[in-house]
């Protein structure tokens, strides 16, 4: 046939070019990582420092841990209340006796470690009485990050009632002077060392430090006031300089740290390390403090201010969905530090949190972070699982979403998600309704522009690993111009795991879609568009299978695949093999198609292959399925990357695969196309996903 001859000639030429392409690009750069593994630790109030390839965190009560990948952590030291021995010091209680005695306590609060220019590590430790701001903040030095640290003495004290404070001539007053705890040392863009600190009481303060000694430059007293006062529930400061935006970002935690305390992470920014810091509405944060005429720990005065990045929330588990409990999320997340990977540029917040349904149990978590177009940080809706942002396409976004609006309140109960539908064409409807309540857009590679109830939010779309569904999905995180955080997860995409395809035909005596996602298949004659006869069935790889006799085929639902990310998986048992005969065929038109063939053209040396028309492309394997035996075939298209698998093993990998299914009305069939000899043999367990499965997913599908 003339058309088949033309296809074969052009495909043979393309095969040589693509064989070279495969050698140059041996692996896919956009394939999603496998399901992650996590090893969690408990470090309350974590603060980050690096040493070689290891990322360390130090926190309250002498706890510490380290990692190399931000997923699997190793506990180094534990809570002093559980173990009085601590390898960070030769004898912690003896060496830090002065600070512990002053604070009238036997434990430490949030410690911070930074490496000095001389290579030594400086630990800023602190102790607090707890029911008052009587605290001591000191310095210890070590040659290596894991110690032992040697005490250099107390740097600042607080809570000296009716006595002179660290500000000469001023009697200590907890309404205006700080509680000397929660230190965070950092370098500014010029390499100058600073330390920000404070909790409740008079608020957050900053002092300039001597990087040679690690001690404050003399004559500053408590330093410069940045935020809070009058016993505002504001604490845990950390400052990050972002060279891309030119701002210093002051992170703090508002509220109380226990499960019902409403802890939440907020941020303000400044062009200078020592302020003034402002929020997205332009409020100068040094003016944000409790009203002294109100009861102690007045939250109402401070809650509207600062950009609230994340508070207590839960993406609810709906009836019938996987998992247990009320859902996934965080309870009282806070006291964060930040980290930027020097190789990849990825940025993260590292913090401690409680969790829904688990009381006061707390662990450390890592959340990837980006800066939106207005220069404000936004946090991933799910914990970091090794994801890398990629080009977002509409298939990532269309579906049912759960959204969290974090608002501005210091919420002592978890905010529950609301359900919306992100529809093709860019509209958003509430629940499963049809009336538009907003819109979504992909404004560049992966940036999100979402309007809801008249408010526009800017941020990013990102791959996420959803722990409830135990599968990769998509999420977004964004901020309004006034600093309200909105984040969400695509639960439609999360549910499309290896066990939930968008179409599945097992041929158990019928042509029904076993997934419940697509319509029932129909029969055709020896070409697409011809009349078919009643189907016949035979013994399958699992249960029954469809039997094709070389003169008939199966038509799958129109529009089964649309977009440039999809997976096709099937079992075949051929009775004969003829060149170009399709096992699976999809066509947007007679000139724009993709075909999975058990026996390819001469360029494929008669082996199984995937090939495409219009933009001619060959994806040959080195395997020919044997006659009268079951063989598993699959192929994955992922935004231009094509992979073909035979019996669970990847047999082809290449780039530049054409985007064929650009509309929702393409035609799909088993065993037939418009031109070639129909398939003769049995076909079973046909499954199609509108997403790209991983190699491990395909391997599992090929297991008998």
């Amino acid at each position: 046939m003339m058309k088949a001859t033309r296809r074969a000639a052009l495909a043979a030429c393309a095969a040589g070019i693509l064989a070279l392409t495969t050698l140059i690009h041996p692996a896919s750069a956009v394939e999603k990582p496998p399901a992650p593994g996590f090893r969690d630790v408990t470090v309350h109030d974590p603060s980050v420092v690096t040493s070689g390839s290891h990322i360390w965190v130090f926190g309250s009560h002498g706890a510490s841990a380290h990692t190399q990948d931000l997923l699997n952590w190793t506990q180094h030291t534990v809570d002093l209340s559980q173990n009085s021995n601590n390898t960070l010091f030769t004898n912690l209680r003896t060496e830090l006796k002065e600070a512990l005695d002053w604070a009238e306590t036997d434990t430490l609060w949030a410690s911070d470690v930074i490496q000095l220019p001389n290579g030594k590590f400086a630990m800023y430790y602190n102790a607090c009485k707890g029911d008052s701001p009587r605290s001591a903040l000191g310095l210890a030095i070590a040659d290596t990050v894991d110690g032992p640290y040697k005490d250099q003495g107390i740097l600042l004290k607080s809570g000296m009632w009716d006595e002179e404070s660290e500000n000469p001539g001023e009697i200590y007053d907890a309404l205006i002077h700080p509680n000397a705890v929660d230190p965070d040392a950092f370098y500014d863009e010029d390499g100058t060392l600073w330390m920000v600190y404070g909790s409740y009481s008079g608020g957050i303060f900053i002092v300039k430090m001597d990087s040679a000694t690690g001690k404050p430059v003399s004559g500053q007293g408590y330093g410069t006031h940045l935020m809070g006062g009058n016993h505002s529930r504001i604490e845990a400061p950390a400052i990050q300089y972002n060279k891309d935006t030119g701002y210093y970002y002051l992170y703090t935690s508002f509220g109380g740290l226990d499960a019902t305390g409403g802890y939440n992470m907020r941020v303000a920014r400044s062009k200078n390390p020592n302020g003034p810091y402002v929020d997205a509405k332009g409020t100068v944060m040094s003016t944000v403090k409790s009203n002294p005429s109100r009861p102690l720990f007045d939250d109402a005065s401070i809650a509207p201010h600062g950009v609230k990045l994340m508070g207590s929330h839960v993406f609810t588990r709906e009836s019938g969905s996987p998992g247990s409990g009320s859902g996934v999320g965080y309870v009282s997340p806070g006291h964060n530090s930040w980290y930027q990977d020097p190789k990849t540029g990825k940025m993260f917040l590292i913090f401690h949190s409680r969790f829904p349904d688990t009381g006061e149990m707390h662990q450390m978590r890592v959340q990837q972070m980006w800066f939106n177009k207005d220069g404000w940080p936004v946090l991933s809706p799910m914990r970091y699982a090794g994801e890398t942002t990629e080009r977002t396409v509409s298939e990532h976004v269309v579906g049912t979403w759960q959204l969290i609006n974090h608002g501005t309140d210091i919420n002592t109960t978890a905010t529950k998600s609301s359900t919306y539908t992100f529809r093709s064409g860019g509209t958003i409807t509430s629940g499963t309704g049809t009336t538009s309540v907003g819109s979504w857009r992909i404004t560049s590679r992966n940036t999100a522009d979402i309007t809801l109830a008249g408010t526009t939010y800017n941020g990013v779309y990102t791959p996420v690993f959803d722990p409830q569904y135990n599968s990769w999905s998509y999420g977004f995180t964004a901020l309004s111009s006034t600093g309200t955080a909105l984040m969400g997860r695509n639960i439609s995409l999360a549910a499309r795991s290896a066990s939930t395809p968008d179409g599945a035909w097992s041929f158990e005596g019928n042509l029904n879609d076993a997934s419940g996602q697509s319509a029932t298949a129909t029969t055709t004659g020896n070409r697409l568009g011809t009349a078919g006869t009643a189907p016949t069935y035979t013994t399958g790889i699992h249960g029954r299978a469809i039997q094709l006799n070389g003169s008939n085929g199966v038509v799958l639902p129109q529009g089964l695949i649309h977009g440039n990310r999809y997976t096709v998986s099937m079992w075949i048992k051929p009775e004969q093999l003829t060149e170009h005969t399709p096992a699976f065929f999809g066509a947007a038109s007679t000139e724009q198609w993709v075909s999975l063939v058990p026996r390819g053209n001469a360029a494929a040396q008669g082996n199984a292959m995937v090939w495409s028309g219009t933009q001619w492309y060959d994806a040959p394997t080195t395997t020919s399925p044997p006659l009268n035996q079951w063989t598993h075939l699959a192929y994955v298209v992922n935004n231009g990357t094509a992979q073909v698998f035979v019996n669970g093993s990847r047999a082809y990998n290449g780039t530049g695969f054409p985007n064929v299914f650009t509309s929702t009305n393409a035609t799909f069939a088993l065993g037939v196309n418009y031109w070639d000899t129909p398939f003769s043999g049995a076909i079973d367990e046909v499954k199609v996903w509108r997403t790209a499965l991983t190699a491990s997913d395909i391997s599992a599908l090929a297991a008998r």
Side-chain angles (χ1 to χ4, degrees):
M1 180 173 64
M2 203 166 174
K3 182 177 265 303
T5 303
R6 175 173 173 267
R7 285 187 291 152
L10 291 173
C13 177
I17 297 171
L18 288 163
L20 177 60
T21 303
T22 305
L23 292 174
I24 297 172
H25 301 285
S28 167
V30 294
E31 181 177 304
K32 286 183 181 178
F38 299 102
R39 186 167 62 244
D40 295 318
V41 292
T42 299
V43 178
H44 211 268
D45 311 320
S47 174
V48 178
V49 66
T50 59
S51 178
S53 62
H54 287 265
I55 304 162
W56 282 77
V57 289
F58 293 83
S60 287
H61 313 299
S64 61
H66 56 87
T67 184
Q68 289 183 287
D69 62 5
L70 296 174
L71 305 179
N72 297 280
W73 291 83
T74 299
Q75 194 90 41
H76 181 62
T77 53
V78 296
D79 194 321
L80 287 172
S81 64
Q82 301 175 29
N83 186 344
S84 60
N85 296 321
N86 192 298
T87 58
L88 298 177
F89 291 85
T90 302
N91 190 321
L92 185 149
R93 297 190 189 282
T94 300
E95 294 181 58
L96 304 186
K97 185 176 186 303
E98 182 184 7
L100 296 172
D101 285 351
W102 171 266
E104 302 175 24
T105 184
D106 62 355
T107 191
L108 297 177
W109 279 26
S111 299
D112 177 65
V113 174
I114 194 171
Q115 190 169 22
L116 299 176
N118 62 12
K120 295 184 182 294
F121 290 86
M123 174 186 285
Y124 296 95
Y125 64 84
N126 57 106
C128 181
K129 190 173 185 294
D131 60 358
S132 80
R134 187 172 179 88
S135 302
L137 194 161
L139 170 67
I141 299 289
D143 293 327
T144 59
V145 69
D146 57 346
Y149 286 83
K150 299 297 181 183
D151 185 35
Q152 307 298 304
I154 294 174
L155 305 180
L156 295 168
K157 291 180 179 178
S158 61
M160 55 285 280
W161 305 116
D162 300 323
E163 297 177 7
E164 188 177 54
S165 69
E166 298 284 2
N167 290 348
E170 296 181 7
I171 300 299
Y172 183 81
D173 182 348
L175 294 177
I176 61 173
H177 293 136
N179 185 4
V181 295
D182 292 0
D184 174 67
F186 69 97
Y187 294 100
D188 67 16
E189 61 174 321
D190 299 320
T192 301
L193 183 65
W194 298 81
M195 182 179 72
V196 63
Y197 70 100
S199 171
Y200 287 45
S201 303
I204 307 302
F205 286 71
I206 189 170
V207 291
K208 184 179 289 187
M209 308 293 280
D210 181 345
S211 61
T213 64
K215 296 181 178 181
V217 174
S218 62
Q220 300 177 88
Y222 284 125
T224 301
H225 172 259
L226 300 180
M227 183 188 309
N230 299 330
H231 296 300
S232 304
R233 296 206 301 171
I234 302 174
E235 62 181 18
I239 292 179
Q240 173 192 15
Y241 176 69
N242 185 328
K243 62 181 178 61
D244 294 328
T245 66
Y247 282 102
Y248 293 87
Y249 294 86
L250 170 59
Y251 301 96
T252 53
S253 295
F254 282 32
L257 60 82
D258 63 318
T260 59
Y263 225 34
N264 63 92
M265 296 180 286
R266 305 203 180 201
V267 67
R269 70 185 184 188
S270 172
K271 286 291 186 178
N272 303 297
N274 56 347
Y277 285 85
V278 299
D279 64 13
K281 292 178 286 190
T283 303
V284 178
M285 297 304 290
S286 60
T287 66
V288 174
K289 58 189 68 178
S290 294
N291 186 335
S293 66
R294 292 180 175 175
L296 196 65
F297 308 141
D298 158 46
D299 284 343
S301 298
I302 64 172
H305 308 297
V307 174
K308 182 183 176 184
L309 298 177
M310 180 187 289
S312 297
H313 67 277
V314 58
F315 289 102
T316 56
R317 186 180 69 85
E318 302 302 323
S319 177
S321 63
S324 60
S326 60
V328 297
Y330 294 120
V331 173
S332 290
H335 202 126
N336 67 275
S337 186
W338 64 273
Y339 170 71
Q340 183 168 15
D341 189 309
K343 294 181 180 179
T344 66
K346 290 181 181 180
M347 286 183 283
F348 307 91
L349 280 196
I350 301 178
F351 56 95
H352 73 251
S353 186
R354 278 80 176 158
F355 306 94
D357 312 316
T358 60
E360 295 298 333
M361 187 279 289
H362 58 83
Q363 291 180 337
M364 196 175 66
R365 287 293 183 265
V366 179
Q367 221 83 354
Q368 192 168 180
M369 173 174 66
W370 304 267
F371 283 78
N372 74 356
K373 71 175 186 179
D374 296 323
W376 289 100
V378 290
L379 300 182
S380 173
M382 297 291 167
R383 71 183 298 184
Y384 178 61
E387 70 274 2
T388 296
T389 56
E390 60 187 22
R391 182 173 296 279
T392 302
V393 295
S394 61
E395 285 73 23
H396 298 148
V397 184
V398 172
T400 302
W401 285 74
Q402 288 184 323
L403 306 188
I404 299 286
N405 185 319
H406 286 281
T408 62
D409 58 329
I410 299 175
N411 54 300
T412 56
T413 59
T415 299
K416 293 183 178 180
S417 58
S418 299
T419 302
Y420 293 86
T421 300
F422 284 46
R423 298 187 178 277
S424 178
T427 61
I428 301 174
T429 61
S430 180
T432 58
T434 58
T435 302
S436 175
V437 295
S439 63
W440 63 268
R441 288 196 305 154
I442 306 168
T443 53
S444 65
R445 180 176 179 272
N446 71 312
T447 51
D449 188 334
I450 294 168
T451 299
L452 200 63
T455 299
T456 298
Y457 303 82
N458 301 117
V460 299
Y461 297 103
T462 176
V464 295
F465 185 78
D466 194 310
Q468 179 187 337
Y469 291 88
N470 195 37
S471 67
W472 285 97
S473 180
Y474 247 74
F476 78 83
T477 176
L479 282 175
S480 72
S481 61
T482 56
T484 299
L486 184 73
M487 58 177 56
R489 64 169 180 170
N490 187 334
I491 57 175
S492 294
L493 198 59
R496 293 175 192 167
S497 64
S499 60
T500 312
D502 293 284
W505 289 269
S506 298
F507 306 112
E508 300 303 319
N510 58 61
L511 300 179
N512 295 342
D513 167 35
S515 75
Q517 305 294 313
S518 295
T520 300
T522 59
T523 60
T524 183
N526 63 352
R527 298 287 187 272
L528 274 170
T530 61
T533 58
T536 59
Y537 303 95
T538 186
T539 302
I541 186 71
H542 300 297
R544 306 290 284 167
I546 189 78
Q547 177 68 50
L548 302 179
N549 61 16
S551 62
N552 61 346
V554 174
V555 179
L556 300 177
Q558 191 176 50
L560 178 61
I561 299 170
H562 50 86
N564 204 21
R565 290 168 62 98
Y566 54 91
T567 301
V568 175
S569 166
M570 64 192 306
W571 288 90
I572 66 168
K573 186 179 181 181
E575 295 174 356
Q576 63 183 46
L577 293 174
T578 53
E579 190 174 285
H580 301 144
T581 291
F584 182 94
F585 179 78
S589 70
T590 56
E591 296 295 329
Q592 191 172 349
W593 47 265
V594 178
S595 189
L596 171 60
V597 298
R599 182 178 180 181
N601 54 32
Q605 299 180 346
N607 294 313
M609 69 181 297
V610 170
W611 70 326
S612 173
T614 303
Q615 299 178 47
W616 293 95
Y617 193 109
D618 283 17
T621 72
T622 57
T623 301
S624 178
L627 296 179
N628 301 309
Q629 294 183 34
W630 285 105
T631 298
H632 185 265
L633 298 178
Y635 74 100
V636 179
V637 175
N638 193 345
N639 289 332
T641 297
Q643 300 176 82
V644 185
F645 297 81
V646 180
N647 289 327
S649 297
R650 184 160 52 194
Y652 174 85
N653 185 65
T655 58
F657 196 81
N659 183 8
V660 174
F661 305 118
T662 56
S663 68
T664 59
N665 59 1
T667 298
F668 298 91
L670 304 176
V672 295
N673 58 21
Y674 295 109
W675 321 281
D676 297 302
T677 302
F679 179 84
S680 180
I683 294 177
D684 199 8
E685 300 297 332
V686 176
K687 297 180 180 180
V688 178
W689 293 257
R690 288 193 289 270
T691 189
L693 298 191
T694 66
S696 59
D697 291 332
I698 301 298
S699 178
L701 290 167
R704 293 188 181 227

